[in-house]
């Protein structure tokens, strides 16, 4: 039976539709209130939208496994063997442990001078010009430079890898659940690049993450080359795609709320809260997929064993059972754990870097252009699980 509201309106949740990508929040509200367990028979998945259900499912890796990919289109399988996001313990724990230190708060704090220098260099250029495409030139450009530095990409290779990454995430609106041939080709090129780089680092190691991984071992064996390659691919994408979305969505949220923007510009100590609230209010990573390993009962029905299950972070983060006035953006909201960075064993390993980098990016923007505003027509990213802007032109 189709899910409906009390007045008989059909509730339709399909993350591959353009309409949902433009504004999913009315649908999320209907899901939470009237269909907290939703079934999309055509796409073949179930969906959870309430905070308590999403958090519980994400925390229970034995019942809701990520091994069949955390993306509905299974694009994470393109990373290769080392992408621990699709693993369960003990393999997940072992491989994640190899990179955890690289993104520890201590290592991340050491990157702050580089972050500030890069952000100020870009912003001075934009201010002199009088405008910028914040999404593409700043929010994407800054994370691209930083994750490339962490992994060890030479600066001259960054533009080429940026172009490959853009091709990999592009989707055909006519068939969004299938990776287009050019996306698959880009994935092959990215894996080949990291494979060659890892081989070079085995011969001539440097002080970078790929050198550490090229010489790393798991408890029972050395890390395989394909695992090094897949792990670097995954970290590279996550370090650009999700982080650029957080910066852009914070810029957009503050532009929509000029009084709060003025407060943050006058008092930079409010910027971390503005970033955290943007992650709650408009999470760039809207949802992820899991697969049920057994029948799981809910008041509205049962997810069968083998059922693909979507856990909607962005819907849970506005659940008014957990967040009073959850539909509102409020940088003064009391601190509380939101789910934009995930939950459980798959909580984002790069969260400390994402928070610091976003904070520096917004601090720098507000320092040089506290009254920035829209300039031109923005363009949304077309991707089922990512909600942000591909192009966000602003005047400075």
């Amino acid at each position: 039976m189709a899910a409906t509201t009390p007045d008989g309106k059909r509730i339709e949740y399909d993350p591959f539709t353009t309409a949902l990508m433009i504004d999913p929040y009315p649908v999320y509200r209907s899901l939470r209130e009237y269909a907290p367990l939703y079934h999309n028979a055509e796409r073949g998945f179930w969906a959870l939208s309430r905070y308590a259900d999403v958090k519980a499912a994400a925390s229970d890796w034995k019942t809701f496994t990520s091994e069949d990919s955390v993306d509905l289109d299974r694009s994470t399988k393109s990373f290769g063997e080392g992408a621990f996001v699709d693993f369960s313990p003990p393999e997940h724990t072992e491989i994640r442990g190899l990179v955890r230190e690289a993104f520890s708060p201590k290592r991340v704090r050491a990157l702050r001078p580089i972050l500030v220098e890069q952000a100020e260099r870009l912003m001075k250029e934009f201010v002199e010009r009088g405008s910028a495409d914040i999404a593409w030139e700043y929010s994407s450009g800054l994370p691209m430079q930083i994750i490339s530095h962490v992994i060890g990409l030479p600066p001259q290779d960054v533009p080429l890898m940026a172009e490959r990454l853009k091709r990999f995430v592009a989707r055909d609106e006519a068939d969004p659940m299938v990776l287009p041939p050019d996306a698959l080709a880009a994935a092959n090129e990215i894996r080949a690049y990291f494979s060659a780089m890892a081989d070079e680092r085995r011969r001539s190691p440097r002080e970078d993450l790929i050198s550490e991984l090229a010489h790393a071992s798991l408890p029972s064996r050395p890390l395989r080359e394909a695992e090094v390659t897949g792990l670097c691919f995954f970290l590279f994408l996550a370090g650009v795609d999700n982080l650029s979305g957080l910066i852009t969505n914070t810029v957009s949220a503050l532009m929509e709320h000029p009084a709060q923007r003025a407060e943050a510009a006058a008092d930079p100590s409010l910027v971390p809260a503005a970033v955290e609230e943007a992650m709650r209010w408009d999470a760039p990573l809207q949802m992820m997929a899991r697969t049920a390993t057994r029948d799981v009962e809910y008041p509205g029905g049962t997810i069968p064993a083998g059922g693909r299950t979507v856990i909607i972070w962005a819907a849970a983060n506005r659940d008014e059972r957990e967040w009073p006035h959850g539909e509102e953006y409020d940088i003064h909201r009391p601190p509380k754990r939101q789910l934009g960075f995930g939950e459980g064993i798959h909580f984002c390993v790069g969260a400390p870097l994402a928070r610091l980098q976003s904070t520096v990016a917004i601090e720098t923007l507000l320092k040089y252009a506290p009254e920035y505003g829209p300039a031109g027509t923005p363009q949304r990213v077309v991707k089922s699980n990512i909600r942000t802007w591909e192009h966000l032109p602003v005047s400075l």
Side-chain angles (χ1 to χ4, degrees):
M1 181 181 295
T4 60
T5 63
D7 60 2
K9 184 179 179 181
R10 185 185 179 96
I11 301 172
E12 296 187 27
Y13 171 63
D14 183 351
F16 294 98
T17 60
T18 302
L20 197 84
M21 294 176 193
I22 292 173
D23 184 10
Y25 293 106
V27 174
Y28 292 166
R29 186 163 51 248
S30 294
L31 289 175
R32 288 193 305 268
E33 295 307 312
Y34 309 117
L37 176 63
Y38 177 86
H39 184 214
N40 186 315
E42 181 181 357
R43 297 287 191 191
F45 68 80
W46 301 78
L48 301 172
S49 53
R50 289 182 178 174
Y51 182 94
D53 293 337
V54 168
K55 184 176 181 180
S59 301
D60 186 358
W61 61 267
K62 292 182 178 179
T63 300
F64 290 98
T65 179
S66 66
E67 293 178 16
D68 192 27
S69 180
V70 297
D71 284 343
L72 277 178
D73 63 8
R74 293 178 171 81
S75 58
T76 53
K77 295 303 181 185
S78 298
F79 293 145
E81 294 184 25
F84 59 82
V85 69
D86 284 347
F87 296 165
S88 295
E91 189 177 20
H92 170 275
T93 308
E94 293 173 354
I95 295 183
R96 180 185 169 105
L98 297 176
V99 300
R100 188 172 52 236
E101 178 59 27
F103 296 99
S104 68
K106 180 180 179 181
R107 291 274 286 269
V108 165
R109 283 193 297 270
L111 293 172
R112 186 178 179 91
I114 299 172
L115 290 167
V116 171
E117 188 276 330
Q118 293 278 7
E120 296 230 343
R121 178 183 59 80
L122 289 170
M123 196 51 59
K124 287 175 183 178
E125 175 187 326
F126 301 153
V127 169
E128 183 176 350
R129 186 201 307 166
S131 64
D133 181 346
I134 284 292
W136 181 247
E137 295 181 286
Y138 191 56
S139 301
S140 293
L142 188 59
M144 179 69 69
Q145 295 292 335
I146 298 305
I147 194 63
S148 296
H149 171 81
V150 170
I151 294 175
L153 276 69
Q156 65 269 21
D157 289 355
V158 173
L160 173 62
M161 292 297 282
E163 182 270 336
R164 287 171 172 167
L165 197 60
K166 186 175 183 180
R167 287 166 49 213
F168 173 68
V169 300
R171 296 292 181 269
D172 184 347
E173 292 185 49
D175 196 1
M177 286 192 73
V178 177
L179 270 65
D182 193 50
L184 294 172
N188 290 335
E189 293 166 19
I190 292 170
R191 285 196 302 270
Y193 176 88
F194 282 126
S195 179
M197 177 180 270
D199 187 56
E200 190 275 331
R201 290 297 198 272
R202 288 188 187 93
R203 297 190 301 270
S204 303
R206 304 180 191 178
E207 292 186 3
D208 52 36
L209 180 57
I210 196 166
S211 293
E212 294 178 16
L213 295 176
H215 293 86
S217 293
L218 299 176
S220 60
R221 59 174 176 79
L223 199 63
R224 293 190 294 266
E225 180 176 324
E227 291 172 325
V228 176
T229 299
L231 187 48
C232 287
F233 189 170
F234 164 59
L235 295 173
F236 185 60
L237 175 67
V240 176
D241 209 22
N242 299 340
L243 181 49
S244 65
L246 177 55
I247 296 172
T248 302
N249 289 3
T250 307
V251 171
S252 180
L254 290 172
M255 190 157 57
E256 289 182 44
H257 300 82
Q260 296 186 62
R261 179 184 62 188
E263 287 186 83
D267 181 3
S269 70
L270 293 172
V271 171
V275 169
E276 199 73 13
E277 176 67 350
M279 179 61 101
R280 183 201 68 82
W281 186 68
D282 196 17
L285 184 60
Q286 293 269 294
M287 56 84 172
M288 296 183 89
R290 299 287 192 269
T291 302
T293 59
R294 59 176 177 82
D295 289 358
V296 186
E297 295 184 5
Y298 289 90
T302 300
I303 299 176
R308 291 287 279 166
T309 306
V310 173
I311 48 179
I312 313 175
W313 310 118
N317 272 345
R318 291 196 181 192
D319 189 347
E320 297 205 343
R321 297 164 188 77
E322 189 71 20
W323 308 93
H325 309 291
E327 299 286 351
E328 299 175 7
Y329 178 78
D330 181 6
I331 65 174
H332 299 291
R333 190 178 295 277
K336 189 183 234 182
R337 186 180 181 93
Q338 47 82 17
L339 301 178
F341 288 112
E343 184 63 42
I345 66 168
H346 293 290
F347 182 83
C348 177
V349 72
L353 178 59
R355 287 183 165 116
L356 176 62
Q357 192 166 176
S358 299
T359 296
V360 169
I362 300 303
E363 286 174 346
T364 307
L365 171 61
L366 294 177
K367 173 183 174 181
Y368 284 93
E371 297 183 359
Y372 67 90
T377 304
Q379 179 181 334
R380 282 272 175 203
V381 167
V382 179
K383 196 165 185 283
S384 63
N385 62 342
I386 297 293
R387 175 175 162 79
T388 190
W389 299 98
E390 184 169 0
H391 299 289
L392 185 64
V394 301
S395 59
L396 302 170

